[in-house]
Amino acid sequence: MMGGNNEQASPDEYPRHKVTVDGFWMDMTEVTNRQFAEFVEATGYVTTAEQKPDWEELKKELPPGTPKPDESLLVPASMVFQPASGPVSLNDYGQWWEWKEGACWKHPHGPGSDIKGMEDYPVVHISYYDAKAYCQWAGKRLPTEAEWEWAARGGLTDNIYPWGNEPVNAGNPKTNSWEGSFPYLNTEKDGYFYTAPVKSYAPNGYGLYDMAGNVWEWCSDWYRADYYERLISPEGIINPQGPADSFDPDEPYAHKRSIRGGSFLCNDSYCSGYRAARRMKTTPDSSMEHLGFRCVK
């Protein structure tokens, strides 16, 4: 049964519905810096974050008449997390995200940062196009939302999280998330402020690591807020591939892909992304410090 099953569920997680997926293989972990570096070395690939944004393409995702940003902003850059100095409105993500020139997978916090010693951390600042290119090189593909949710549940039935139903902050650390008051105070009970090395926490029932928290993961599906409402079928859906197009009422001109799993920034006060049913979305050219991927075959 795919979809929301607790009081934190969002409207786009309903209605719950029966889904069947064929068998598939899935990477045990998110793609790491080490693995992505091998891909770049073999192909010379340049990520979206390392390229100057094309305003003609960018404006297609924005309301008509949106003014062109200053040329100083149209530079190779990506979104970097900057903790706030105190409580802020959780409706304004500009309070903790910064468009930082030079931020990319090799420089996750921007110029002056690097990934030395972080070979086994998940690669971040990865767009949908970057993830697709890696998958093609590796002979794999991105999972569908249905495959991803099936895998995240780890064989458990109707449980909220990949590990079961125990609240995220109860007991021993189960995932890399934001503990404390978001976005300014992180107690780091799980041991990390930013991303954690893969396999830092126990796997789920299928032997998959970080299906909750650490970094959001790209899926192949377009995102539609009303997608589940369009799927109603008493006998269930077999191998759903997602909708034919995208629609997000929050940003109706943007074409978005689905991302899953939550990240090191997720907290129950703001984003319970570590729930198995939780859906999130962003444009394919987006790259952020908490966004990576894993492959299936």
Side-chain angles (χ1 to χ4, degrees):
M1 294 301 294
M2 189 173 178
N5 57 357
N6 83 332
E7 68 279 358
Q8 291 179 310
S10 298
D12 66 356
E13 296 173 37
Y14 290 107
R16 296 188 75 220
H17 54 285
K18 183 179 178 182
V19 170
T20 301
V21 293
D22 292 335
F24 58 97
W25 296 102
M26 184 177 237
D27 290 346
M28 292 172 68
T29 72
E30 305 103 328
V31 173
T32 63
N33 285 319
R34 184 193 314 276
Q35 292 169 314
F36 199 78
E38 292 172 357
F39 159 63
V40 170
E41 185 174 348
T43 63
Y45 184 83
V46 179
T47 62
T48 301
E50 296 171 278
Q51 302 175 50
K52 178 181 177 180
D54 182 343
W55 171 241
E56 293 304 312
E57 290 298 317
L58 195 60
K59 70 181 182 182
K60 295 176 184 176
E61 306 288 334
L62 301 169
T66 300
K68 183 179 179 179
D70 187 84
E71 201 63 33
S72 65
L73 294 173
L74 295 176
V75 293
S78 191
M79 299 295 282
V80 170
F81 172 68
Q82 296 287 359
S85 58
V88 296
S89 169
L90 296 183
N91 294 322
D92 179 10
Y93 58 80
Q95 299 282 339
W96 58 88
W97 283 111
E98 178 184 351
W99 175 248
K100 182 169 282 192
E101 183 176 0
C104 66
W105 74 276
K106 292 180 287 189
H107 307 289
H109 307 308
S113 66
D114 59 48
I115 54 173
K116 291 174 182 173
M118 298 177 64
E119 291 80 7
D120 294 321
Y121 283 65
V123 66
V124 293
H125 295 293
I126 297 297
S127 73
Y128 173 82
Y129 305 121
D130 302 334
K132 285 270 288 184
Y134 177 94
C135 288
Q136 186 173 6
W137 172 78
K140 303 178 185 180
R141 61 177 173 84
L142 290 172
T144 64
E145 269 201 271
E147 288 172 331
W148 195 97
E149 186 168 327
W150 169 263
R153 294 186 178 279
L156 300 177
T157 302
D158 291 340
N159 281 247
I160 300 170
Y161 310 103
W163 59 81
N165 287 323
E166 184 178 60
V168 65
N169 290 319
N172 294 324
K174 295 175 281 292
T175 183
N176 182 13
S177 63
W178 186 278
E179 292 126 330
S181 300
F182 185 82
Y184 63 95
L185 176 64
N186 189 343
T187 64
E188 298 181 51
K189 178 184 174 185
D190 56 34
Y192 298 92
F193 187 89
Y194 293 103
T195 55
V198 299
K199 299 187 178 180
S200 290
Y201 309 95
N204 74 359
Y206 291 147
L208 301 170
Y209 294 85
D210 291 334
M211 295 301 285
N214 217 14
V215 298
W216 287 99
E217 302 177 13
W218 286 105
C219 291
S220 60
D221 301 32
W222 286 112
Y223 171 84
R224 277 196 73 96
D226 61 356
Y227 177 49
Y228 289 4
E229 296 174 18
R230 297 170 165 223
L231 279 179
I232 300 304
S233 171
E235 63 274 15
I237 310 296
I238 299 174
N239 292 322
Q241 300 297 303
D245 56 6
S246 168
F247 181 69
D248 178 5
D250 296 332
E251 295 183 281
Y253 294 97
H255 299 84
K256 299 185 178 183
R257 296 280 181 176
S258 296
I259 57 176
R260 288 297 201 113
S263 79
F264 65 88
L265 295 178
C266 283
N267 178 275
D268 279 346
S269 69
Y270 169 65
C271 164
S272 54
Y274 28 66
R275 291 184 298 104
R278 175 65 162 160
R279 305 178 71 205
M280 193 52 71
K281 69 279 183 177
T282 192
T283 55
D285 59 354
S286 295
S287 61
M288 293 172 275
E289 193 174 359
H290 68 343
L291 181 54
F293 72 110
R294 78 177 74 209
C295 312
V296 300
K297 188 171 183 175

